[in-house]
Amino acid sequence: KLQQEIQAKPKAYPFQEILYCNIGNPQSLGQKSITFFREVLALCDHPAILAKSETQALFSVDSIERARKILDQIPGRATGAYSHSQGIKGLRDTIAAAIEARDGFPADPNDIFMTDGASPAVHMMMQLLIRSEKDGILCPIPQYPLYSASIALHGGTLVPYYLDEATGWGLEVSELKKQLQEAKSNGITVRALVVLAEENQKAIVEFCKEEGLVLLADEVYQENVYVPEKKFHSFKKVARSMGYGEKDIHLVSFQSVSKGYYGEYGKRGGYMEVTGFGADVREHIYKLASVNLCSNITGQILASIVMSPPKVIYFAI
């Protein structure tokens, strides 16, 4: 309303501009998009310009090479067509290879489900996990409101666990056990644990294994590590390093092109990696993905680039 009033009557208020800081959305505040991302998207959306001589001067060699590779992976080279409901196979191959390189453990492209950002993936898992208000999801407080909203939307019960501000918003497993027992005493069946990156990842993995919980790992900020002695470790990497294999723990990790350093919120790209589930459950996940036919192709392309950006090449002299 204020925005409309300012446009209609510029002198109505002592300010002429509103900066929307209520949600992460950096490009609306002037952050420039990554040139490589946008060049690749432009070339993929209008492949006819690849054959023009001017393209070599306007676009980087890396962008042209990547666009050609991506187009070869898209049936009919058509970014305006539906894809496989799980996502374009070649792009899922790229993401799986990047996950494997990052973690040092195998990744299967068939475990990757491309989505319109991380939010639809979270909704999909909540829809699968929640049967009634008697089903609960352990969720951190403070939390990103997506989780409480999606739990409520699908008719479940939020089971809160509280982070400790004094320890840098850390998580104690004793708090998880306390909240789990309290929920059980109230007749709630806790089915999953939502967790962000934590110091005590091994203890969290062990807790989910012992309690038979699905571990929902929100890993969309894996690039945002600014403390020199710290490094991102995925929950899948931690679980595999503990000796837990594919069938030992139910794990879903979420990634998005919105977060990180890229800030491509409006492109709505992301994926979830789903491991540890049987064929019957996987079939239901695929059915849910098929309801929307497919995620948008631009987001799929960006997700593959985010996970596999250009590499620095060093030459010996």
Side-chain angles (χ1 to χ4, degrees):
K1 184 179 178 181
L2 280 172
Q3 187 74 59
Q4 291 173 349
E5 289 178 2
I6 290 172
Q7 290 174 345
K9 299 178 181 179
K11 296 182 179 180
Y13 296 95
F15 50 88
Q16 282 74 48
E17 184 181 9
I18 296 174
L19 299 180
Y20 294 91
C21 301
N22 59 307
I23 191 169
N25 201 22
Q27 291 194 26
S28 70
L29 301 178
Q31 176 178 305
K32 302 299 182 184
S33 59
I34 304 297
T35 304
F36 178 74
F37 292 0
R38 293 308 180 87
E39 286 190 357
V40 172
L41 291 180
L43 292 167
C44 286
D45 278 337
H46 192 30
I49 63 177
L50 282 167
K52 296 185 179 295
S53 58
E54 304 97 302
T55 302
Q56 302 295 326
L58 292 171
F59 293 84
S60 70
V61 174
D62 283 344
S63 298
I64 293 170
E65 182 181 338
R66 182 66 66 92
R68 284 194 168 122
K69 179 179 179 181
I70 290 172
L71 285 167
D72 287 343
Q73 296 168 335
I74 300 175
R77 299 165 69 87
T79 60
Y82 290 130
S83 76
H84 187 284
S85 293
Q86 206 169 328
I88 295 166
K89 176 60 165 57
L91 302 183
R92 287 188 283 120
D93 288 339
T94 298
I95 291 172
I99 292 172
E100 187 168 328
R102 181 196 68 192
D103 293 345
F105 292 95
D108 186 344
N110 293 318
D111 291 338
I112 306 296
F113 287 79
M114 309 291 276
T115 56
D116 290 332
S119 298
V122 171
H123 279 293
M124 193 183 300
M125 292 312 302
M126 294 303 177
Q127 190 173 353
L128 284 161
L129 288 164
I130 296 171
R131 300 163 296 187
S132 73
E133 71 279 358
K134 290 297 183 181
D135 282 334
I137 307 293
L138 274 163
C139 190
I141 303 295
Q143 53 103 22
Y144 187 56
L146 162 67
Y147 292 99
S148 55
S150 60
I151 292 168
L153 177 65
H154 296 293
T157 297
L158 186 148
V159 180
Y161 65 87
Y162 296 90
L163 305 179
D164 184 6
E165 183 176 4
T167 61
W169 300 105
L171 164 60
E172 295 296 332
V173 173
S174 58
E175 169 69 8
L176 292 178
K177 292 180 177 179
K178 173 187 171 185
Q179 298 301 334
L180 178 65
Q181 291 307 316
E182 185 174 333
K184 286 182 177 179
S185 67
N186 292 325
I188 302 297
T189 301
V190 178
R191 294 173 60 78
L193 166 68
V194 175
V195 65
L196 306 177
E198 291 290 342
E199 294 288 340
N200 50 349
Q201 288 178 279
K202 289 185 178 180
I204 295 168
V205 168
E206 200 65 57
F207 173 77
C208 289
K209 170 65 177 173
E210 290 175 358
E211 300 295 341
L213 302 179
V214 176
L215 178 52
L216 302 176
D218 187 326
E219 298 180 333
V220 301
Y221 285 111
Q222 58 190 261
E223 301 286 352
N224 301 69
V225 181
Y226 305 113
V227 181
E229 63 271 16
K230 290 188 177 182
K231 184 180 179 182
F232 170 78
H233 297 285
S234 73
F235 272 93
K236 179 186 169 188
K237 176 181 178 179
V238 172
R240 297 294 181 266
S241 69
M242 293 171 67
Y244 290 130
E246 172 73 25
K247 298 180 180 179
D248 295 324
I249 186 168
H250 307 303
L251 174 62
V252 183
S253 60
F254 305 105
Q255 171 63 313
S256 169
V257 306
S258 303
K259 316 302 182 184
Y261 59 86
Y262 7 93
E264 293 284 9
Y265 288 75
K267 298 300 183 183
R268 307 308 300 136
Y271 69 84
M272 61 179 180
E273 184 186 19
V274 179
T275 58
F277 294 88
D280 53 342
V281 176
R282 293 289 295 271
E283 183 180 352
H284 284 293
I285 297 174
Y286 181 71
K287 283 181 181 179
L288 271 181
S290 301
V291 169
N292 292 322
L293 296 177
C294 71
S295 60
N296 79 86
I297 305 302
T298 295
Q300 291 189 39
I301 292 171
L302 267 178
S304 74
I305 300 173
V306 161
M307 291 302 291
S308 183
K311 302 296 189 295
V312 176
I313 300 175
Y314 297 96
F315 293 96
I317 298 177

